[in-house]
């Protein structure tokens, strides 16, 4: 077998976004496109000779093809070993766990997460470092710089590896180990949570459904929820990962997981429902009569953390992305622990977790996780909720309403305007940025602007600074709106508007969310000219 050096020319559009490089499959399928990016990753790293690289993805269309390329390029680059999930499958949190457990140098995770899959849909490549987490900006910036100058890549001409047979093979001098994608992850979950209590809850008739949305968590959920926790067969729905996710968006929210939601809300439906996304790092939790917002979920998990064996000795601190509601802040205050506000994207939590400053992290975008790995973790959140329900012997609805009664309720919603014209979206943001200084003191109905800025994050661990992370407009009384452009889309621009209002009075905790936020939503349009710039009357998705 020989290593070939292939001449190539740079692509100018390989800038990693919030979570890796995401493009449509036809873009990735261009000659040398994936190879250029993978080589640029390797060229931006040092000291991996003879080390282990973990490779796996969410099973979407084009997954196997890119895995074969990555294996042959890893061999050419001098890695000693690659560990690949069987069938090319590894959920994002499971990949993070394997990197950590086997002291790998890093990992390549192939996913476009919640974006649809198929020959004309989305694909993605992300690099994770040795702590198991997404590469920090320092590395993604270096990768991007390299993609702009790359002129060749190296690849072995070895035959394709059989990805379906567990065991070891060799590509040139490099060992290829095909591993069970589920086993290590399931073991970790069993260490963290009170499986006997959850098993007893389910055996007692508590009905659980999990919608894996034909994406990566199917095999994990079947093993854990059905086999280890005893839920009846069929409790996990859409459990076979499909390359096109059955034609759906594998996005666990009230729009795309509506069937499961409606089922749980029906009179004789299940007591508890959950869904996860394409690569298994997001979660949605629903109890009968109660959808748990991701921001509330973070706060409630943190407040009840000691009920789970893995967190029995308490948590060190909490971190949330800036647009996530401040519900968790009140929990941190009460517990007397640190609270950190980071930019959007899990890569910003890595340093805080590594330094032991925080134990639990979350984002409003259906992402929650902890120091057990360095990614958000969908099934982990679901199991945490089941653990809390089993320990407290209360319904999800009672747990949430009691939490609000104790801490107050942060009404919260996100409005997404998807596939907006990029120029129009950029114009909206730059006009808004220019008028930030003039906003304080202006009023919109009963709302008065207290402060307005473009969020910048100073990492307390490595002192790195990340600017322009979202525009915040704070009102007197603690309400706020946030606007930012998505960094994960693959067509046009997506404008996200985040709206939050705090309500202490329990007699006002049952207002419909959009109604409770109506004045803030109209203030957002008055301030940012959303309708005018986007030409849209209403958001594409409201969560
Ligand atoms: C979105 C979410 C963000 C999340 C990111 C990756 O990013 O808002 O909170 O970390 O997706 O999630 P953006 O830039 O589109 O707002 V996943 O599950 O798509 O890897
Ligand atoms: Co995801």
């Amino acid at each position: 077998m020989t290593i070939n050096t292939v001449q190539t020319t740079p692509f100018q559009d390989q800038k990693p976004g919030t979570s890796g490089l995401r493009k449509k499959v036809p873009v990735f399928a261009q000659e040398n496109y994936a190879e250029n990016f993978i080589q640029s990753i390797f060229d931006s790293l040092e000291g991996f000779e003879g080390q282990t690289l973990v490779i796996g993805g969410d099973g979407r269309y084009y997954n196997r093809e890119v895995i074969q390329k990555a294996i042959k390029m890893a061999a050419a680059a001098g890695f000693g070993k690659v560990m690949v999930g069987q069938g090319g499958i590894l959920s994002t949190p499971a990949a993070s766990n394997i990197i950590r457990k086997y002291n790998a140098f890093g990992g390549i995770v192939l996913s476009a997460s919640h974006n649809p899959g198929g020959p004309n849909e989305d694909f993605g490549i992300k690099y994770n470092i040795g702590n198991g987490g997404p590469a920090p900006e320092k590395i993604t910036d270096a990768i991007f710089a390299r993609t702009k100058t790359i002129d060749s890549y190296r690849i072995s001409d070895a035959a394709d590896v059989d990805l379906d047979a567990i065991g070891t093979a060799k590509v040139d001098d490099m060992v290829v180990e095909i591993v069970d994608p589920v086993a290590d992850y399931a073991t970790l979950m069993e260490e963290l949570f009170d499986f006997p209590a959850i098993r007893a809850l389910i055996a007692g008739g508590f009905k659980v459904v999990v919608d894996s949305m034909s994406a990566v968590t199917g095999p994990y959920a079947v093993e854990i929820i059905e086999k280890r926790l005893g839920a009846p067969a069929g409790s996990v729905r859409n459990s076979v990962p499909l390359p096109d996710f059955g034609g759906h968006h594998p996005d666990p929210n009230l729009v795309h997981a509506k069937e499961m939601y409606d089922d749980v809300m029906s009179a004789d439906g299940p007591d508890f429902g959950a869904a996860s996304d394409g690569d298994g790092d997001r979660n949605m939790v629903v109890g009968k009569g109660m959808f748990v917002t991701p921001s509330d979920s973070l706060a409630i998990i943190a407040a009840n953390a000691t009920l789970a064996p893995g967190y029995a000795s308490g948590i060190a601190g909490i971190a949330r992305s800036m647009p996530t509601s401040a519900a968790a802040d009140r929990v941190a205050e009460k517990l007397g622990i640190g609270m950190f506000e980071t930019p959007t994207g899990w890569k910003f939590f890595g340093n805080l977790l590594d330094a032991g400053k925080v134990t639990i992290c979350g984002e409003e975008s259906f992402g929650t996780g902890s120091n057990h790995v360095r990614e958000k973790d969908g099934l982990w959140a679901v199991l945490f909720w089941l653990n809390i329900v089993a320990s407290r012997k209360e319904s999800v609805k009672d747990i949430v309403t009691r939490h609000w009664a104790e801490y107050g309720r942060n009404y919260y919603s996100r409005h997404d305007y998807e596939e907006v014209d990029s120029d129009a979206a950029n114009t909206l943001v730059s006009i808004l940025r220019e008028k930030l200084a003039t906003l304080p003191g202006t009023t919109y109905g009963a709302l008065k602007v207290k402060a307005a800025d473009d969020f910048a994050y100073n990492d307390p661990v490595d002192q790195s600074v990340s600017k322009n992370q979202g525009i915040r407009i704070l009102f007197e009384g603690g309400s706020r709106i946030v606007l930012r452009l998505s960094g994960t889309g693959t067509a046009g621009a997506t404008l996200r508007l985040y709206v939050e209002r705090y309500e202490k009075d329990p007699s006002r905790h049952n207002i419909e969310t959009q109604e409770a936020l109506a004045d803030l939503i109209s203030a957002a349009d008055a301030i940012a000219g959303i309708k005018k710039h986007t030409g849209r009357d209403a958001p594409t998705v409201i969560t």
Side-chain angles (χ1 to χ4, degrees), residues 286-345:
V286 189
K288 190 158 291 303
M290 177 62 70
F291 158 66
V292 187
T293 73
S295 294
D296 280 345
S297 181
L298 170 67
I300 294 168
I301 284 175
N304 292 278
T306 54
L307 297 177
Y311 307 85
S313 59
I315 56 175
I318 310 173
R320 62 165 172 84
S321 67
M322 181 273 283
T324 303
S325 99
D329 301 28
R330 299 173 197 287
V331 175
E333 199 185 333
K334 182 156 189 181
L335 294 175
I337 56 176
M339 182 75 223
F340 297 83
E341 191 178 33
T342 60
T344 294

Side-chain angles (χ1 to χ4, degrees), residues 82 86 432 536:
V82 291
Q86 187 183 25
L432 186 56
R536 303 280 175 83

Side-chain angles (χ1 to χ4, degrees), residues 325-370:
S325 99
D329 301 28
R330 299 173 197 287
V331 175
E333 199 185 333
K334 182 156 189 181
L335 294 175
I337 56 176
M339 182 75 223
F340 297 83
E341 191 178 33
T342 60
T344 294
W346 210 262
K347 57 181 173 235
F348 294 102
F349 294 135
N351 278 348
L352 297 170
L353 290 163
D354 286 351
K357 288 181 180 294
V358 302
T359 307
I360 309 256
C361 306
E363 294 192 279
E364 51 65 40
S365 55
F366 297 83
T368 338
S370 85

Side-chain angles (χ1 to χ4, degrees), residues 113-114 277 279-282 376:
S113 191
H114 56 292
D277 74 334
D279 61 332
D281 55 359
R282 297 186 178 203
K376 55 188 185 275

Side-chain angles (χ1 to χ4, degrees), residues 49 85 111 115 161 208 219 241 265 291 306 344 392 437 443 488 520:
E49 289 72 20
S111 170
N115 299 2
V161 173
V208 176
M265 292 304 157
F291 158 66
T306 54
T344 294
R392 286 181 50 162
T443 55
T488 56
L520 286 156

